[in-house]
Amino acid sequence: MTENAQQQPTAPDTELPTQYAPADVEGPLYERWVERGYFAADAKSEKPPYTIVIPPPNVTGSLHLGHAFQHTLMDALTRRKRMQGFEALWLPGMDHAGIATQNKVEQQLAEEGKSRQDLGREEFVERVWQWKEEYGGRILGQMRRLGDGVDWSRERFTMDEGLSQAVQTIFKRLYDDELIYRAERIINWCPRCLTAISDIEVEYQEDDGELVSITYGEGDETLVVATTRAETMLGDTAVAVHPDDERYKHLVGRRIKLPLTDRTIPVVADTHVDPEFGTGAVKVTPAHDPNDFAIGQRHGLESITVMDERAVITVHGPFEGLDRFEARSAIVAALRSQGRIVAEKRPYVHSVGHCSRCSTTIEPRLSMQWWVKVGPLAKAAGDAVRDGRVKIHPEDMSKRYFDWVDNMHDWCISRQLWWGHRIPVWYGPEGEVVCVGPDEEPPAGEGWRQDTDVLDTWFSSGLWPFSTLGWPEQTADLRKFYPTDVLLTGHDIIFFWVARMMMFGLYAMDGEVPFKTIALTGLVRDERGKKMSKSFGNVVDPLDWMDKYGSDAVRFTLARGANPGTDVPIGEDWVQASRNFANKIWNATRFALMNGATIEGPLPSPSEMSATDRWILSRLNKTVAEVDAFYDDFQFAKLSDALYHFAWDEVFDWYVELSKTTFQAGGEAAEVSKRVLGEVLDVTLRLLHPVVPFVTDTLWTTLTAGESVVVAEWPKDSAFRDEAAEREIETLQAVITEVRRFRADQGLQPGQRVPARLTLDGTALAPHEAAIRQLLRLQPEGESFTATATLPVSGAEVALDLSGTIDVGAERKRLAKDLAAAEKEKAQATAKLGNEAFLAKAPDNVVDKIRGRLTKADEDIARIQSQLDRLPPA
C-alpha cells in the first residue's frame, strides 16, 4: 500500500442526486449513447461479429408488453456481446403490414366519405406512403424509451427500395425453379378486407351458432347430414360416407336429390369421413371448405361457388343477393317448411375463425391464387435443425418445429390488396405469362397487364435476415454479419415467421442457415397467468409503467420472469419491486461513494484483505461465472435472480454493512475495503448493465469516471476463490441472523440497544466483534450486566441482558396464552385424524387441510417454547 492510500481521504463529491429519478436520466442518456455511435456496427471491424435479427414490428403498431419483453432480452444479449469485444449488430426496422396499414388508410378515407376505389390504385398507394411518413413508426420512438441498443443507421423497411429488390429477385428465382405457381385452391377469405389472409391472421374464438340436421334425398334413398353453415348446401356436389359403413353401402354410387334445388348429387365413399361422428354422412361443398375441396379432388367433383367476395349469395333465385347469415336463416326456414329439418341445436358453441384485423368471420373460398411449393424448401429447413446447423432452445420445442415443417402445406402468398409488394408477373393478350426480375423490363404493348395482387407480408419478412444486409448484392454487411447468431422470438410464430426465414435463407444463401440459434420465449400474461386481452380488460401499456417506475424497472421485471419457452406472468407489484431494486442500487452506490469506495490502483493482495473482503470477492467471481453460464443457456430469469440476490443480499445488505465498522475505524484495513468495495461495485454494475442499462451507466460513470458502461469490458471470472472466507462469513451471517430473530421474537425495536456479552474466543468470529455489535445494536456489558438470555450459535455465545428492555412477566403471560392456543389446535387436529369414521367420510382435501393444521400447530409450539426457554425468570 502507498502512503497516500493509507490516509483517510475526504468523502468525494458523488455527483449523484439523493434520489434516483428515471424520467430525468433515461431520455437524455439514451440520446447520448446514440450520438456517440455506441450501437453502430462496423462491417470493416476485425472484431468477431454478433448479429441478432429483430422481429420487425408492424408500421401501424405501438410497443406492447410482448415487444418490451422480447426487446429486453435481445438488447441484453447484444449489450453483453458488445462488452465482450464483439462487433455487435442489432438491426432495427419495420414491416409494412399489408392489411393492417391498408385498413388504417381506408378508415381515414371513410371519414372523408371516400373509398380507395374513388382514388384509384396509384393515388391510394401514394396516400398510404403519406400515412406511413406521418403516423407510422411510433414504435421506433418507443423502442428508444425502452433503451433498445439498435443500430439506427441501418434502419430498414420491408418496402424500401433495397428490400423491394430482394423480394422481386427471390420471387423470380423461385418462379424459374418452378417453386412458385398459380392455382385455384381453398383459402381463408375476409369478406370485409376483400383478400385472402394467412393462417396467422385468423383468430379462432368460441361462437354461438346453430347445428341443423337435414334430410337429403327422397323415399328410400335418404340420409341425414348435420351442418353449422346451411347456406353452403347450395354449393353441395356430393354426400360422403365411409367406404366401410354398412348403413350406406347401398347408396354409394347413386345420386340423390339435393333439397331446395333441381340438382341431384352423388353419394361417394371416402376414408376421410368418420363413421362414428354424427350420422356418419357429410355434405361435400368443394368450393367452400378445405376438407371438402380435397374430397372433391379425389372424386372429380364439380366446385360450385355460391358466394361473391363480400359473402353474398350469388345462386338460386330465392336466396340470391342475401348476406350469408341472412341466407342461413332463410334456408333453414325453407327446409323446415318442407319437413327436412330433423334436429336443431341452438346455441351450438363451436370454434370459428375471424379476421385478426377486423374481426369479420372468415369464409373458406375457392380462389385463384399464387402459391409457394414448400416441399423441398421445408425439407431443407427441417434438415438444418436435425443435423445441428441450427439449434432450437429450449430443445423440447424442436418437436413443434418438426411437426410444422414436416407437414407443411403449400403456402398461399397472394393478397388482394393494393398496399404491398406487387406480384411481378405480366399477362399478355394471347394468354402469355411473364415473370419479371428486378433488372428486367416488363413487357409493353397493348393488352399487357400486371397481376393486381400483392405478396403476403410474411413473404418479405421471411427474407429479413439477409435482405436487410443488402442481398441480393454481396455487400460488406452481408459478408460480415450473415449468418446471424440468434433469433429470439415467441414460440407462437415458430410456424409462420421462423419456418419461412429458414426456408428462404437456405434457398437464397446457397444452403447457409439464416441464424445459428433459435431461442424461443413464452408469451407475457397477467399476474394470474391469464392471457392479456382487451376483452378481459387486463392489457397493460408498458409505456405507462415506464412513466411511473422507469424503463429499468420494466426491463428487470420482464427479464426476471423469462424462463425459456414458458409464459411470463407480470403484475404491477413486481414492477414496483424492480423499481425498489433500482433505488437500492442507487442508494447503496451513493453511500459507498460518499464513504470512499474507489477503483483507483490495483486490488490489494489477498494477504492484505480481511475475511470479509476475500468473501465478497470470492462470491463476486462465482456470480460472474454463474451469470455467464446462464446467458449462454438463455436463462434470463435465473441470471436476473442471481444478480438480484448477489447485489441486494450479499453486496448491499451484508458487505456494505459489515464494512461500516472498518470505515469508521480507518487505517489501512479501511483503505483496502474501500478499494474492494469499488471493485465489487464496478463489476456488479457491469454485470447488471445489459438488463438495467440506465441506472447502471449513470452509477458506473460516476464511480469510475469512465466514458460509458455501454462500451466497458464485460467482467471476467478471475478464478479467485476463498472457500474458508466464505464459510467464515456464512457463520457470521448465521449468528447475526439468529440474534436478530431472537430480538424480533422478544418484541425489541430494530434500533433498540441491548447490553450483551460476546464469547467469541477460539472461533472464526473473534475478528468480527465490532461488526456484530454494530449490526445487532449490542452495547458493552457494563458492571451491572446480568445475562437474562443466552444464545449459543455456531460455537460462539451471545448473552443478553433484557432486564431493562422488556417486561418479562407480561411477555411470559403473552407467550403462555399463545402456547395454550397452539396446544388446543394440536389436540383438535389430532383428535380428528384419530377418528376412523371421520377419515372414512371426509374428502381427501379436507383431511389434507387438517394434517396441515397439525403440522403448523407443532411448529408454533416448538417456536413459542423456544422463546419461553430463552426468557429470564419473571
Side-chain angles (χ1 to χ4, degrees):
M1 300 288 291
T2 64
E3 184 179 345
N4 288 338
Q6 294 177 30
Q7 296 174 357
Q8 186 78 11
T10 304
D13 180 2
T14 66
E15 302 179 13
L16 292 173
T18 55
Q19 290 185 327
Y20 178 49
D24 297 338
V25 170
E26 293 176 349
L29 182 54
Y30 184 85
E31 293 309 316
R32 189 154 66 246
W33 291 337
V34 174
E35 288 166 8
R36 292 178 177 178
Y38 292 156
F39 306 139
D42 183 2
K44 297 178 182 177
S45 168
E46 296 298 320
K47 297 178 183 177
Y50 182 81
T51 316
I52 282 194
V53 174
I54 189 172
N58 287 353
V59 67
T60 60
S62 59
L63 191 76
H64 57 63
L65 270 177
H67 289 129
F69 172 54
Q70 292 181 0
H71 286 212
T72 293
L73 305 187
M74 287 184 278
D75 194 34
L77 291 172
T78 312
R79 285 176 182 269
R80 173 175 174 258
K81 285 295 182 180
R82 188 178 293 116
M83 294 172 75
Q84 286 182 316
F86 287 77
E87 196 62 38
L89 172 61
W90 188 24
L91 188 148
M94 294 182 297
D95 191 287
H96 65 278
I99 293 178
T101 310
Q102 180 158 319
N103 279 351
K104 287 280 188 185
V105 178
E106 288 196 82
Q107 289 166 12
Q108 199 177 61
L109 287 173
E111 292 171 4
E112 301 170 13
K114 299 177 183 177
S115 69
R116 61 177 163 131
Q117 286 76 16
D118 293 333
L119 271 64
R121 183 169 193 144
E122 189 173 332
E123 189 177 341
F124 176 78
V125 170
E126 179 59 34
R127 181 72 176 259
V128 180
W129 277 108
Q130 291 172 8
W131 182 93
K132 185 257 182 188
E133 294 304 317
E134 188 171 354
Y135 301 105
R138 283 182 303 160
I139 192 171
L140 298 179
Q142 294 162 352
M143 287 164 59
R144 300 171 95 94
R145 282 285 313 277
L146 188 65
D148 282 9
V150 295
D151 185 348
W152 292 108
S153 68
R154 285 179 164 85
E155 182 188 332
R156 301 305 299 269
F157 180 54
T158 50
M159 281 186 63
D160 67 29
E161 185 178 349
L163 268 65
S164 295
Q165 182 184 23
V167 167
Q168 195 170 352
T169 298
I170 201 162
F171 187 99
K172 170 70 171 173
R173 291 187 186 179
L174 289 163
Y175 181 87
D176 290 346
D177 287 344
E178 298 183 351
L179 292 173
I180 282 183
Y181 64 94
R182 194 167 183 245
E184 196 173 40
R185 300 273 179 82
I186 292 282
I187 45 86
N188 301 309
W189 181 265
C190 176
R192 155 61 184 78
C193 298
L194 300 180
T195 181
I197 64 174
S198 66
D199 290 339
I200 197 172
E201 293 162 325
V202 179
E203 291 183 348
Y204 287 90
Q205 62 188 51
E206 297 296 309
D207 286 359
D208 286 346
E210 60 181 351
L211 181 69
V212 294
S213 298
I214 309 166
T215 302
Y216 279 32
E218 302 286 356
D220 294 334
E221 296 184 344
T222 63
L223 38 69
V224 174
V225 301
T227 182
T228 58
R229 301 168 66 219
E231 68 278 10
T232 62
M233 68 171 291
L234 302 176
D236 286 359
T237 55
V239 172
V241 299
H242 194 277
D244 297 331
D245 195 329
E246 294 293 335
R247 294 171 294 176
Y248 304 117
K249 279 198 171 182
H250 67 290
L251 291 177
V252 173
R254 299 188 182 184
R255 300 185 71 86
I256 60 173
K257 170 75 173 173
L258 177 64
L260 304 183
T261 73
D262 56 4
R263 292 192 290 119
T264 61
I265 56 176
V267 178
V268 300
D270 196 281
T271 54
H272 171 76
V273 179
D274 180 1
E276 302 298 323
F277 183 77
T279 64
V282 297
K283 60 191 287 299
V284 182
T285 321
H288 293 278
D289 182 273
N291 293 322
D292 293 3
F293 179 78
I295 293 174
Q297 293 288 97
R298 289 193 289 272
H299 296 277
L301 301 176
E302 182 183 5
S303 294
I304 300 176
T305 299
V306 300
M307 291 179 224
D308 66 12
E309 60 185 8
R310 298 184 184 274
V312 172
I313 302 298
T314 58
V315 299
H316 201 69
F319 312 109
E320 189 171 356
L322 294 179
D323 170 81
R324 55 183 165 165
F325 300 120
E326 296 171 337
R328 181 176 300 171
S329 298
I331 287 170
V332 170
L335 291 167
R336 192 184 298 115
S337 69
Q338 294 182 5
R340 288 188 174 273
I341 302 292
V342 297
E344 296 181 66
K345 184 175 182 181
R346 292 191 190 87
Y348 178 72
V349 180
H350 61 135
S351 181
V352 177
H354 294 258
C355 175
S356 63
R357 303 300 176 190
C358 67
S359 298
T360 301
T361 301
I362 290 301
E363 190 64 43
R365 174 181 169 87
L366 184 63
S367 180
M368 182 67 75
Q369 302 285 346
W370 285 93
W371 304 80
V372 171
K373 182 180 180 182
V374 299
L377 302 174
K379 182 181 184 304
D383 290 345
V385 175
R386 285 191 170 92
D387 63 25
R389 283 176 289 155
V390 176
K391 303 287 187 187
I392 292 181
H393 187 87
E395 192 176 352
D396 58 11
M397 285 282 179
S398 298
K399 183 180 184 302
R400 297 183 64 181
Y401 176 80
F402 291 133
D403 285 347
W404 179 252
V405 297
D406 293 348
N407 300 286
M408 196 182 295
H409 301 295
D410 285 1
W411 170 21
C412 177
I413 56 171
S414 46
R415 300 289 179 267
Q416 290 64 55
L417 303 172
W418 286 357
W419 172 245
H421 295 100
R422 195 162 173 182
I423 289 176
V425 172
W426 272 254
Y427 304 106
E430 303 300 325
E432 302 97 330
V433 179
V434 177
C435 180
V436 177
D439 300 321
E440 301 171 349
E441 288 293 326
E446 188 176 349
W448 283 92
R449 59 183 178 84
Q450 186 177 358
D451 195 299
T452 57
D453 289 351
V454 300
L455 287 163
D456 177 13
T457 295
W458 296 101
F459 190 94
S460 51
S461 61
L463 315 181
W464 191 253
F466 53 93
S467 64
T468 52
L469 299 175
W471 186 91
E473 303 300 323
Q474 293 303 307
T475 63
D477 276 0
L478 194 63
R479 289 190 295 271
K480 177 74 174 179
F481 297 111
Y482 190 91
T484 68
D485 288 87
V486 177
L487 169 69
L488 188 144
T489 190
H491 61 65
D492 55 325
I493 60 171
I494 188 172
F495 317 123
F496 307 107
W497 189 48
V498 178
R500 280 147 174 64
M501 286 190 291
M502 285 285 283
M503 292 191 301
F504 280 167
L506 290 160
Y507 174 80
M509 299 300 292
D510 300 320
E512 198 167 14
V513 297
F515 22 73
K516 300 164 190 172
T517 301
I518 301 168
L520 296 171
T521 70
L523 309 178
V524 180
R525 296 182 177 272
D526 71 12
E527 63 266 34
R528 296 178 182 84
K530 194 172 183 179
K531 180 182 178 181
M532 287 193 176
S533 165
K534 290 179 182 177
S535 61
F536 295 153
N538 62 351
V539 173
V540 173
D541 185 345
L543 296 170
D544 291 342
W545 281 351
M546 289 183 210
D547 290 340
K548 200 170 181 181
Y549 305 111
S551 297
D552 282 335
V554 174
R555 290 170 61 112
F556 193 72
T557 304
L558 291 164
R560 206 171 175 194
N563 291 298
T566 59
D567 290 347
V568 183
I570 184 172
E572 188 166 2
D573 288 351
W574 305 336
V575 186
Q576 289 177 351
S578 295
R579 186 269 315 274
N580 295 343
F581 180 51
N583 288 342
K584 183 76 170 181
I585 300 169
W586 182 273
N587 293 332
T589 305
R590 186 172 180 277
F591 169 85
L593 288 167
M594 292 176 66
N595 283 273
T598 180
I599 64 159
E600 291 183 9
L603 267 178
S605 67
S607 62
E608 297 176 90
M609 298 179 190
S610 68
T612 311
D613 295 330
R614 287 181 277 112
W615 160 73
I616 197 62
L617 288 175
S618 183
R619 289 294 307 127
L620 176 67
N621 279 288
K622 285 183 177 179
T623 301
V624 171
E626 191 176 28
V627 168
D628 275 333
F630 286 143
Y631 261 116
D632 293 342
D633 199 34
F634 303 100
Q635 297 280 359
F636 296 98
K638 290 182 179 178
L639 72 88
S640 299
D641 216 44
L643 286 169
Y644 175 89
H645 287 294
F646 174 72
W648 192 309
D649 300 345
E650 298 186 276
V651 179
F652 305 145
D653 277 359
W654 284 107
Y655 183 70
V656 168
E657 292 299 316
L658 289 169
S659 298
K660 284 181 180 178
T661 52
T662 308
F663 294 158
Q664 290 170 359
E668 186 172 343
E671 298 309 311
V672 170
S673 290
K674 289 172 184 178
R675 178 64 186 89
V676 171
L677 179 54
E679 182 76 11
V680 171
L681 288 174
D682 169 24
V683 174
T684 301
L685 290 170
R686 283 186 279 149
L687 287 173
L688 282 164
H689 172 71
V691 180
V692 283
F694 294 105
V695 68
T696 52
D697 194 43
T698 306
L699 294 172
W700 187 86
T701 51
T702 305
L703 170 70
T704 68
E707 181 184 345
S708 172
V709 73
V710 177
V711 289
E713 185 178 348
W714 181 253
K716 293 184 175 66
D717 175 8
S718 71
F720 174 78
R721 302 286 191 275
D722 193 324
E723 302 297 340
E726 290 196 40
R727 288 193 296 272
E728 182 174 326
I729 302 305
E730 284 170 8
T731 302
L732 174 62
Q733 290 170 329
V735 170
I736 292 171
T737 301
E738 180 62 23
V739 177
R740 278 176 173 166
R741 184 182 297 118
F742 176 74
R743 286 176 56 107
D745 286 345
Q746 306 310 314
L748 296 174
Q749 296 300 314
Q752 190 172 355
R753 294 197 168 274
V754 178
R757 180 175 62 236
L758 305 185
T759 307
L760 308 176
D761 294 343
T763 74
L765 299 176
H768 302 287
E769 179 169 352
I772 292 172
R773 285 189 177 278
Q774 178 164 316
L775 291 177
L776 291 172
R777 306 294 190 269
L778 303 179
Q779 297 176 177
E781 50 196 276
E783 293 182 5
S784 60
F785 179 84
T786 303
T788 58
T790 303
L791 284 73
V793 187
S794 301
E797 187 175 272
V798 180
L800 304 175
D801 183 354
L802 305 178
S803 56
T805 56
I806 62 172
D807 183 335
V808 176
E811 186 64 13
R812 279 193 170 277
K813 188 178 292 187
R814 182 184 70 81
L815 290 172
K817 183 179 179 181
D818 291 346
L819 182 63
E823 288 173 337
K824 181 179 179 182
E825 174 73 0
K826 178 179 180 178
Q828 290 175 344
T830 302
K832 283 192 175 183
L833 293 173
N835 185 334
E836 294 296 335
F838 169 77
L839 292 176
K841 294 178 181 178
D844 290 345
N845 64 318
V846 172
V847 175
D848 289 342
K849 189 174 181 180
I850 299 298
R851 288 195 179 109
R853 284 170 51 191
L854 178 59
T855 300
K856 185 176 185 306
D858 281 332
E859 292 171 351
D860 288 345
I861 290 168
R863 175 178 55 79
I864 297 167
Q865 190 62 59
S866 175
Q867 291 173 242
L868 280 167
D869 292 344
R870 289 174 171 177
L871 280 176

